[in-house]
Amino acid sequence: MDRTLEDRVAAAVRSWGRWVPRWQPGESRARTRPCRLCLGSPLLGHAGLDTDVPHAVGHALSTRLKRITDAEVADYTEKNLPTLAAELGRAEERTRRSYRPQEGLDPEFEGLPLDPEPEPGAPFLFTLAGLARDSSRDLPPPPPLSEEAKAALRIEIRLADECGQHAVALIGRALEQYRPEIRQTLARHVEPQIQALMADLQRELNVPPLSG
Ligand SMILES: [Zn+2]
C-alpha cells in the first residue's frame, strides 16, 4: 500500500460517485436503530453529506472512508504495536474458523443490518446474525493474558485509537476539496429522484380517488 492517504480519499470519492447513479430511494431498508458509522460522523460533515441526504447515500461513502481509516490503523499497528498486533492475530485466527456473513460485502452494504426486520408473530427460522453468533460460540475461549501483557495492551490500544483519530482528521482535510464534486453528484443523481418521489406523494395526497 504505497498510495498516499490523499490518493485513497480521491479513489473512495470516485468509487462512491460511480455507485451513486445506481441508488434508488425505495431500495434502502428502513432502519430501526441509528447507524453507528454515520450518526454524527465528522467525515460526512466534511463531505457535505451530513444533512438532507438519504442515509444509504451517505453510508456508501462512510464505509469507503472507514476502510481507509482501518487500513491506516492496521498498518500502524502492524509496524509499531507488537502486543496489540499479536492479540488481533489471535482474534483473527478465531474468527477465521467461524461463520462471518458480514465480510466481503460491497461497501454500500457494510454495517447495515444483515437480516430484514422480523415481523411480529412471524419469527424467522434462522437469521444470518444468529448463525454467526452460534458458530463463534463453539470455539474454545482464548488463553488468559499476563498482567504485563494487559498493561502493554492498554497503552497500545490508546495509541491505535490516536492513530485512528489522526487518520480521520487527515481524511477530513483531504475531503474538503471534493465538496463541489460531491454536491454535483447529489444534484445530478439524488435530488431529482427525491423530488420525483415527493411529487408522487403530493399527487397521491391531493388527487381525490375516482368515484365509480
Ligand atoms: Zn450509516
Side-chain angles (χ1 to χ4, degrees):
M1 200 185 289
D2 50 9
R3 290 189 305 161
T4 66
L5 188 110
E6 285 76 15
D7 289 343
R8 278 176 275 153
V9 171
V13 173
R14 273 199 306 273
S15 154
W16 173 82
R18 284 193 299 272
W19 170 79
V20 172
R22 300 207 307 269
W23 171 78
Q24 287 187 337
E27 275 180 6
S28 33
R29 210 181 280 154
R31 300 181 66 90
T32 48
R33 266 173 296 171
C35 177
R36 288 212 313 236
L37 189 58
C38 298
L39 187 72
S41 156
L43 292 183
L44 286 184
H46 283 289
L49 288 171
D50 52 340
T51 46
D52 293 335
V53 177
H55 172 247
V57 174
H59 189 85
L61 185 65
S62 284
T63 51
R64 285 170 165 87
L65 297 174
K66 183 171 185 299
R67 286 182 178 187
I68 302 175
T69 314
D70 288 351
E72 283 287 305
V73 174
D75 189 47
Y76 177 78
T77 302
E78 192 61 43
K79 288 181 183 143
N80 304 293
L81 308 175
T83 317
L84 181 58
E87 200 52 31
L88 291 175
R90 266 193 292 278
E92 170 68 16
E93 185 52 46
R94 274 172 66 74
T95 44
R96 222 200 311 275
R97 289 187 274 148
S98 60
Y99 172 58
R100 288 178 296 171
Q102 69 275 42
E103 297 224 337
L105 298 174
D106 285 336
E108 44 275 10
F109 298 114
E110 222 172 77
L112 295 178
L114 289 169
D115 299 297
E117 288 296 319
E119 284 174 33
F124 297 119
L125 286 181
F126 60 85
T127 59
L128 293 176
L131 288 178
R133 224 173 14 247
D134 291 346
S135 81
S136 61
R137 213 180 281 145
D138 293 339
L139 297 171
L145 287 175
S146 69
E147 285 307 313
E148 217 172 292
K150 276 186 205 162
L153 198 57
R154 270 195 291 274
I155 294 170
E156 292 189 10
I157 287 173
R158 185 170 54 75
L159 291 171
D161 190 50
E162 283 172 11
C163 168
Q165 289 173 22
H166 184 62
V168 167
L170 291 177
I171 294 170
R173 207 179 303 161
L175 271 177
E176 294 286 341
Q177 60 175 305
Y178 298 105
R179 283 178 79 108
E181 188 179 325
I182 290 170
R183 224 179 359 248
Q184 261 177 15
T185 303
L186 291 179
R188 187 176 305 163
H189 301 290
V190 176
E191 279 156 23
Q193 296 206 61
I194 293 178
Q195 272 159 18
L197 202 72
M198 296 304 276
D200 278 352
L201 215 65
Q202 199 104 43
R203 257 196 305 279
E204 275 174 36
L205 293 175
N206 284 347
V207 178
L210 292 171
S211 51

